[in-house]
Amino acid sequence: MNYDFFCIFADNKSIITMESQNYLILVMQMLGSLALLMYGMKTMSDALQKMAGPQLRHVLGAMTTNRFTGMLTGILVTAAVQSSTATTVMTVSFVSAGLLTLAQAISVIMGANIGTTLTAWIMSAGFSFNITDFVWPAFLVAIILIYSKRRRVAGDFLYGIAFMFLGLGTLRQTGIDMNLGENEAVLAFFSSFDPNSFLTTLLFLLIGGVLTMCVQSSAAVMAITMILCSAGVLPIYQGIALVMGENIGTTVTSNIIALSAGTQARRAAFAHMFFNLFGVCWILLVFRPFVDGVCGLVGYDVNMTKEVAGETAFLANSAKLSFVLAAFHTCFNLVNTGILIWFIPQIEKLVCRVIKPKKTDEDEEIMRLQYISTGIIKTPEIAVIQAQKEIAHFAERIQRMFGMVRELLSEKDKDKFAKLFSRIEKYEGISDNMEIEIAKYLEQVSDAHLSDETKGKIRQMMREISEIESIGDACYNLARTLNRKLQSNAEFIESQNQNIERMLDLTDKSLTQMNVVMNGRREELSIDKTNSIESDINALRNQLKMKNIQDVNDHKYDYAVGTMYIDFINECEKLGDYVVNVVEARLGK
């Protein structure tokens, strides 16, 4: 008898062990399927952004003339790249780079929330039939395109789609294999929550938000929700509460990235969070009626049970659950946008009141990069636009430094002279640091898979920052020459001062033209004006060198003064050469 008991116990133990192993394998399959889904969406999104990257700035600028076109832009871009996070991060980047106003950004973000609902519809379709049979030809075509250099990005895009659908198909099959609807432990866990309790709705909303924050993908959490609802484990009300939580959790990414950005970028990210939080607040007030209305729209019977309707009718009804989730996601964002789009000016005022600019003195402000940060680079093609904006700002600061040199020339008070010289010295250190920081950023961007055109732009920008930093060095050398003159108690005669002013006027004119080129579109600009100014600088330098030799021989001033004078003139001419190099790099010469 003891022997029989031992055999039964051993058999039961082996069955339990086998079931545990099977569930472990299925859980790993589910996690792997989610990873495939997320990787596919990221690959597809990145490929689309690489294809459209150079045009995105002009598209966003042209299509955001009012709140409705801005919303439409957000819908189209997000539907194309299949990621509201990508669109929001791009929008935050554009606000940071000064390419979009805050009001325009808010309208684009509203559209992004509608555009992202397409993902839920694609996933609900993937849960309705076995889509994996169609992905294998796509993989074959994608790998052929990837090995064809000219169509590599298109291959990446197709590869991403194939991986996304493979992940969806595998996820659907894993959900069926797990047979969650028959698992007593899982059923008991979810049935322990009162479906009619408002606290249950809040709890699942919180769970959805936390899960989305952790995995940084609302699509992954939506897929899990669809599996649980379709299996009959999770009631539709709790499933929709998870979807609402995803809407809040997905705003965290853009807010994290905006932390290291400027004030306007942080405001745009906060506006995204406010938009979704507001939507969740009003939907909670009409939760049951709204969900019942969506269920009626799709044709899903909330009250149907297997015992009453029969297994066939019940399964047919359950098959609609993924569409209910997608329909709710769309209706929720459409209604929320329909309400808030009329209040964009008020939202702008609110976020400006909440996110206030940091108080810094002028010197602290100039030491910080304005348009780029060394954080996460989501879109390399967009990062190049930001870097170019930062380089243009770098060039403007250098001209400001040159203006200080002109002030130093006319300063007679020794204390004020020392203070101004110290400030120029500080600017020289800042220009060195800016060159290093922008170069590091460009190196980070160049590590990504970029188009040949973009790689060429990065090489040109590396040259630009090197030459701009050289202009900073030249400005500092001019200041040092003036400091040496002050320390030796030497004075320039009237004609020397007049000639120096002529040279400084030409040099300043050259710097002004450089900044026109840096802030303009390359296709609309020419190097001719810069070359003409440089020719005038060279001609004046040669003329003054000859005149200096004659004046020293005529004893109008001594040799030491003549040396400092001509050093100053030569340094201005070098500065002009650096300006030409910057303009050539900018125009791709």
Side-chain angles (χ1 to χ4, degrees):
M1 187 172 178
N2 290 339
Y3 177 75
D4 291 341
F5 174 78
F6 178 77
C7 289
I8 293 167
F9 177 77
D11 288 343
N12 287 339
K13 189 177 180 182
S14 64
I15 290 166
I16 292 167
T17 305
M18 287 177 65
E19 285 183 355
S20 299
Q21 287 177 341
N22 288 338
Y23 265 108
L24 181 63
I25 290 168
L26 288 170
V27 168
M28 294 307 293
Q29 281 181 355
M30 185 181 75
L31 293 174
S33 302
L34 284 171
L36 269 180
L37 172 68
M38 291 164 68
Y39 175 75
M41 291 188 72
K42 185 179 185 306
T43 303
M44 183 184 72
S45 176
D46 288 349
L48 270 167
Q49 289 173 57
K50 284 168 193 168
M51 286 191 280
Q55 287 77 38
L56 274 175
R57 173 183 175 178
H58 306 302
V59 169
L60 279 167
M63 293 185 67
T64 53
T65 50
N66 61 59
R67 67 186 74 181
F68 298 103
T69 56
M71 181 190 69
L72 182 63
T73 303
I75 293 171
L76 295 175
V77 172
T78 307
V81 301
Q82 282 300 292
S83 173
S84 62
T85 301
T87 306
T88 307
V89 169
M90 274 192 279
T91 306
V92 168
S93 300
F94 283 167
V95 173
S96 180
L99 305 175
L100 284 179
T101 65
L102 183 57
Q104 288 173 323
I106 292 170
S107 65
V108 172
I109 288 168
M110 286 180 176
N113 274 27
I114 297 173
T116 193
T117 61
L118 179 64
T119 306
W121 286 104
I122 291 170
M123 291 172 71
S124 61
F127 276 89
S128 302
F129 60 93
N130 190 3
I131 205 165
T132 52
D133 295 337
F134 302 95
V135 303
W136 308 115
F139 276 122
L140 179 63
V141 175
I143 201 70
I144 292 169
L145 290 173
I146 285 170
Y147 279 101
S148 167
K149 285 186 178 180
R150 272 193 283 180
R151 296 179 179 85
R152 185 174 175 180
V153 178
D156 285 340
F157 172 67
L158 194 55
Y159 220 52
I161 290 178
F163 268 119
M164 183 178 76
F165 285 128
L166 178 62
L168 273 175
T170 312
L171 202 57
R172 171 184 173 273
Q173 189 57 48
T174 304
I176 294 169
D177 293 342
M178 289 179 83
N179 200 17
L180 293 171
E182 305 297 327
N183 189 304
E184 294 297 329
V186 176
L187 287 169
F189 172 76
F190 285 106
S191 62
S192 65
F193 297 98
D194 181 5
N196 299 312
S197 170
F198 183 69
L199 287 174
T200 300
T201 303
L202 288 179
L203 178 62
F204 277 83
L205 189 149
L206 180 65
I207 292 169
V210 171
L211 279 174
T212 308
M213 280 189 278
C214 291
V215 299
Q216 289 290 293
S217 171
S218 57
V221 181
M222 176 67 84
I224 295 169
T225 308
M226 284 182 175
I227 287 175
L228 293 171
C229 287
S230 299
V233 172
L234 186 65
I236 187 62
Y237 295 109
Q238 278 90 308
I240 284 177
L242 282 176
V243 173
M244 288 161 57
E246 292 158 22
N247 274 276
I248 297 172
T250 195
T251 64
V252 173
T253 304
S254 55
N255 276 275
I256 289 171
I257 290 170
L259 285 175
S260 59
T263 303
Q264 289 294 83
R266 285 186 286 119
R267 285 171 175 169
F270 180 74
H272 185 208
M273 181 174 282
F274 169 80
F275 178 83
N276 285 10
L277 279 171
F278 177 85
V280 167
C281 289
W282 71 256
I283 203 74
L284 285 172
L285 298 175
V286 292
F287 185 62
R288 289 280 173 151
F290 194 91
V291 174
D292 290 343
V294 172
C295 290
L297 198 65
V298 176
Y300 172 76
D301 188 348
V302 181
N303 300 311
M304 184 182 287
T305 60
K306 190 188 291 186
E307 292 76 17
V308 175
E311 188 172 352
T312 305
F314 180 77
L315 289 174
N317 192 48
S318 297
K320 298 174 184 175
L321 275 166
S322 59
F323 289 103
V324 172
L325 292 169
F328 171 82
H329 200 207
T330 302
C331 292
F332 165 71
N333 282 297
L334 279 171
V335 175
N336 200 30
T337 302
I339 294 169
L340 289 178
I341 197 165
W342 305 101
F343 299 98
I344 287 177
Q346 288 76 14
I347 295 171
E348 185 179 12
K349 286 178 184 175
L350 174 67
V351 296
C352 288
R353 193 170 294 173
V354 174
I355 309 290
K356 293 181 179 177
K358 295 176 183 176
K359 291 182 179 179
T360 55
D361 62 34
E362 188 182 354
D363 284 340
E364 285 178 1
E365 184 66 27
I366 61 167
M367 291 178 77
R368 291 190 299 107
L369 297 182
Q370 299 293 309
Y371 301 105
I372 63 177
S373 64
T374 53
I376 304 164
I377 298 173
K378 287 281 181 182
T379 316
E381 300 283 354
I382 305 304
V384 171
I385 296 173
Q386 286 180 271
Q388 187 58 59
K389 192 82 175 175
E390 190 66 70
I391 293 168
H393 192 57
F394 184 16
E396 289 169 4
R397 287 171 173 172
I398 288 297
Q399 187 168 13
R400 197 184 310 169
M401 184 180 178
F402 180 77
M404 292 178 199
V405 173
R406 297 197 74 167
E407 286 179 42
L408 198 68
L409 177 66
S410 57
E411 186 57 66
K412 302 300 180 185
D413 186 283
K414 287 194 175 183
D415 290 337
K416 289 182 180 178
F417 184 100
K419 190 175 179 181
L420 190 53
F421 180 76
S422 176
R423 196 153 181 240
I424 293 169
E425 209 167 22
K426 188 174 183 179
Y427 260 72
E428 201 276 330
I430 291 168
S431 70
D432 290 344
N433 290 333
M434 283 194 71
E435 180 195 14
I436 292 166
E437 289 301 317
I438 298 172
K440 280 182 184 175
Y441 184 78
L442 289 172
E443 284 170 3
Q444 236 183 318
V445 176
S446 63
D447 287 339
H449 175 49
L450 299 166
S451 63
D452 291 338
E453 181 189 355
T454 305
K455 286 177 183 175
K457 282 181 183 175
I458 288 176
R459 286 193 295 271
Q460 289 164 10
M461 283 192 276
M462 286 288 198
R463 185 183 167 200
E464 285 172 34
I465 58 173
S466 174
E467 298 295 343
I468 292 171
E469 194 279 328
S470 295
I471 295 173
D473 289 342
C475 289
Y476 181 52
N477 288 337
L478 289 170
R480 287 174 63 192
T481 301
L482 294 176
N483 189 50
R484 198 166 79 240
K485 178 179 80 72
L486 182 73
Q487 299 303 322
S488 62
N489 293 316
E491 287 293 337
F492 292 144
I493 63 171
E494 185 61 29
S495 62
Q496 285 178 311
N497 283 323
Q498 288 174 357
N499 292 332
I500 286 173
E501 284 297 335
R502 285 170 61 200
M503 179 60 84
L504 290 175
D505 285 342
L506 281 173
T507 311
D508 192 44
K509 189 178 176 183
S510 178
L511 286 166
T512 301
Q513 179 59 25
M514 177 188 77
N515 280 311
V516 168
V517 172
M518 294 300 291
N519 288 289
R521 293 185 64 180
R522 293 199 302 176
E523 307 80 30
E524 301 168 355
L525 296 162
S526 166
I527 198 173
D528 295 343
K529 193 168 183 181
T530 300
N531 281 337
S532 174
I533 298 168
E534 174 60 13
S535 296
D536 291 342
I537 290 173
N538 289 340
L540 181 59
R541 187 272 315 262
N542 293 336
Q543 177 192 332
L544 296 180
K545 278 181 79 173
M546 295 300 296
K547 185 75 168 59
N548 179 61
I549 294 170
Q550 185 180 335
D551 288 345
V552 170
N553 289 334
D554 291 345
H555 302 292
K556 289 186 177 179
Y557 44 82
D558 62 31
Y559 183 80
V561 171
T563 301
M564 286 184 282
Y565 167 65
I566 214 63
D567 283 348
F568 194 93
I569 298 298
N570 283 334
E571 201 62 53
C572 286
E573 193 277 329
K574 282 184 192 175
L575 195 154
D577 290 339
Y578 298 139
V579 168
V580 172
N581 294 340
V582 172
V583 173
E584 284 180 347
R586 173 70 180 131
L587 298 179
K589 301 294 184 183

